[in-house]
Amino acid sequence: MKKGKKLYEGKAKIIYATNDKNLVIQYFKDDATAFNNQKKSTIEGKGVLNNRISEHILSNLSQIGIKNHLVTRLNMREQVIKLVEIIPIEFIVRNIATGSITKRLGIEDGTVLKEPLIEYCLKDDKLGDPLIAEEHILAFDWASKKEIEKVKKMILRINDFMIGMFRGVGIKLIDFKLEFGRLKVNGKDEVILADEISPDTCRLWDSITDKKLDKDRFRKNLGDLIPAYTEVAKRLGILHEQSNVSAVNVTKLSSVKRK
Ligand code: TMP
């Protein structure tokens, strides 16, 4: 497969064309941003870890029938993915209240929600990804009623699966963000899971200590982001126990070929 020109550059990833019009390459950068790009940094090794963790989660999701864009991981920073038309909505799923919802609604941090809560944000950096209602999605044709219903069903299955997967390795899945895209299958649009699922897009707390193992380490200046992401990867069985946590070692480890 030949890598072609850059099609799109986001805050944490770059998309490149390939010689197959249906496939693109997703490159994971080391850039970290928060608060709609107001806080920025580069954290060596982050992209490598997110590539591996996201590959692991998306391939597990395909095994339970959740269709997604991942075709294969190419190397330590790149994946081949299906080209989709991204639905311009960030779907936020919350199991425990923390982050923006606590400030917005005055909910106590750590409140366990009776049921998973799905929130919608318009994917628009210039507007700061504003929170919207399902009615806005329909009013402005960002997605159809049928697509939203399908996405909601997928989200609840993804959430159940991921809660179990993380619980099994001593991690609480607090909340996360998903994106979906449209794929043409036999002339018809099908909605599939897209983007990435990683500690950049989830809140993950150690089950016993509540230690933060996600991008809040960057957002809240807690430090040690690479050791935290490495811990997540190790617990999921992606990296081996003997590996050290420095970015350099992460880089070395990640060049080891997949089984
Ligand atoms: P929030 O509490 O800041 O609204 O974030 C909720 C979840 O969504 C959290 O796991 C972080 C994730 N998220 C992203 O992945 N990208 C974003 O742009 C935002 C705002 C949140």
Side-chain angles (χ1 to χ4, degrees), residues 133-191:
E134 193 172 312
E135 284 75 6
H136 292 102
I137 303 179
L138 299 175
F140 302 111
D141 281 331
W142 290 318
S144 69
K145 182 84 191 156
K146 212 171 144 196
E147 285 174 331
I148 300 173
E149 291 312 318
K150 167 102 194 285
V151 163
K152 281 203 262 188
K153 275 198 190 142
M154 287 170 84
I155 285 178
L156 295 180
R157 285 198 68 213
I158 294 168
N159 187 43
D160 280 348
F161 174 82
M162 285 184 32
I163 288 178
M165 179 186 72
F166 281 117
R167 182 178 289 156
V169 297
I171 293 173
K172 283 191 271 192
L173 177 63
I174 306 300
D175 58 27
F176 57 104
K177 187 255 316 186
L178 296 174
E179 293 184 27
F180 292 83
R182 299 183 185 100
L183 183 71
K184 278 255 180 291
V185 181
N186 302 327
K188 271 196 186 157
D189 273 343
E190 185 177 21
V191 175

Side-chain angles (χ1 to χ4, degrees), residues 14 19 28 48 54 62 73 77 83 110-111 121 125 140 239:
I14 306 174
N19 50 335
F28 287 75
V48 170
S54 192
S62 341
R73 183 168 63 81
R77 288 195 181 269
L83 178 64
T111 304
C121 293
D125 283 341
F140 302 111
L239 298 180

